Amino acid sequence: MSLRVLVADDQEIVRTGLAMILGAQEGIEVVATAVDGQDAVEQARALRPDVCLLDIRMPRLNGIEATRALAGPDVPDPMAVVVVTTFDLDEYVYGALLAGARGFLLKDCGPELLTHAVRAAADGGSLIAPSVTTRLLRTYADRDAPSQPTSPLTEREEQVLVAVARGLTNHEVAAELYISLSTVKTHLGALMMKLGARNRVELALWAYQTRRLD
């Protein structure tokens, strides 16, 4: 079945362009477009797309507010959200991720990275534009004290955690550690439970906070 995507951007030319790029990809269907954040939230709740692609700066509700409404920590059935913006500003990235976004991209990222981010979000993963990933994690690693795990991490969980923090996909982690894909997912589930993390980005941030890698 095709991945169902909602695209929200207040600029018609950008909204149309993003929808055309994604709609041209095999296995992806753009089921709706929205002109602002409130429109995006209403349509997303009605249609339940697999991924919501939201601009950060929109009228009525901005992308961070819309993300929080659709994927925030208080949402009982959160959706997958990827945020896109023209502005490479740390506060936007951090705000979007805290609101529950699974990805953050700049609008000039290109069709390949855009498609990869949408597929990763639908698969439960995360993707942040490479230009901001390392700087983001290093900037905010010292901002808050890291939470303590509910129980000690196993040696294999430590290995998976570091691999995820380095930006490896599930398939790449499996290949590097010589374990099955299902085993990787099992370890990721255990890590999220122990660390109280909602996604891979929060796992990576915790790894930086605890100096698992530089």
Side-chain angles (χ1 to χ4, degrees):
M1 294 180 62
S2 295
L3 291 180
R4 302 170 65 252
V5 180
L6 176 147
V7 175
D9 195 297
D10 60 318
Q11 298 182 47
E12 182 177 2
I13 190 170
V14 175
R15 185 172 65 249
T16 302
L18 291 171
M20 289 179 62
I21 290 172
L22 291 174
Q25 307 303 314
E26 184 178 356
I28 295 180
E29 177 188 3
V30 177
V31 295
T33 58
V35 298
D36 58 47
Q38 185 62 44
D39 185 22
V41 170
E42 292 172 357
Q43 290 203 61
R45 287 174 173 170
L47 298 172
R48 300 295 305 184
D50 298 303
V51 179
C52 299
L53 187 68
L54 308 180
D55 180 29
I56 206 83
R57 288 189 172 185
M58 294 186 290
R60 294 209 286 171
L61 284 182
N62 63 38
I64 293 176
E65 294 168 332
T67 297
R68 189 174 296 111
L70 296 174
D74 298 326
V75 178
D77 189 14
M79 300 183 203
V81 175
V82 175
V83 173
V84 294
T85 182
T86 308
F87 307 97
D88 180 11
L89 300 178
D90 287 339
E91 58 266 31
Y92 286 146
V93 185
Y94 198 60
L97 297 177
L98 287 180
R102 293 187 186 174
F104 185 96
L105 296 173
L106 302 181
K107 289 182 180 177
D108 62 358
C109 66
E112 184 177 356
L113 193 60
L114 175 64
T115 304
H116 187 183
V118 168
R119 294 191 191 280
D123 194 36
S126 301
L127 189 149
I128 308 176
S131 61
V132 298
T133 303
T134 302
R135 177 164 49 85
L136 168 74
L137 292 174
R138 288 178 175 168
T139 299
Y140 290 100
D142 296 324
R143 172 165 291 196
D144 303 304
S147 59
Q148 296 302 310
T150 56
S151 59
L153 305 187
T154 67
E155 181 180 356
R156 183 63 87 186
E157 287 169 352
E158 291 276 6
Q159 294 170 342
V160 172
L161 174 66
V162 171
V164 167
R166 287 166 44 215
L168 272 62
T169 66
N170 286 0
H171 288 280
E172 291 169 338
V173 174
E176 181 169 290
L177 299 179
Y178 300 102
I179 57 180
S180 68
L181 186 60
S182 61
T183 300
V184 173
K185 293 180 179 179
T186 298
H187 287 311
L188 285 174
L191 283 166
M192 289 181 189
M193 183 174 297
K194 288 182 177 181
L195 301 178
R198 292 174 296 167
N199 53 51
R200 300 166 72 92
V201 175
E202 292 184 4
L203 289 179
L205 181 57
W206 192 87
Y208 270 85
Q209 289 176 317
T210 55
R211 301 297 186 264
R212 258 61 178 187
L213 74 172
D214 295 323

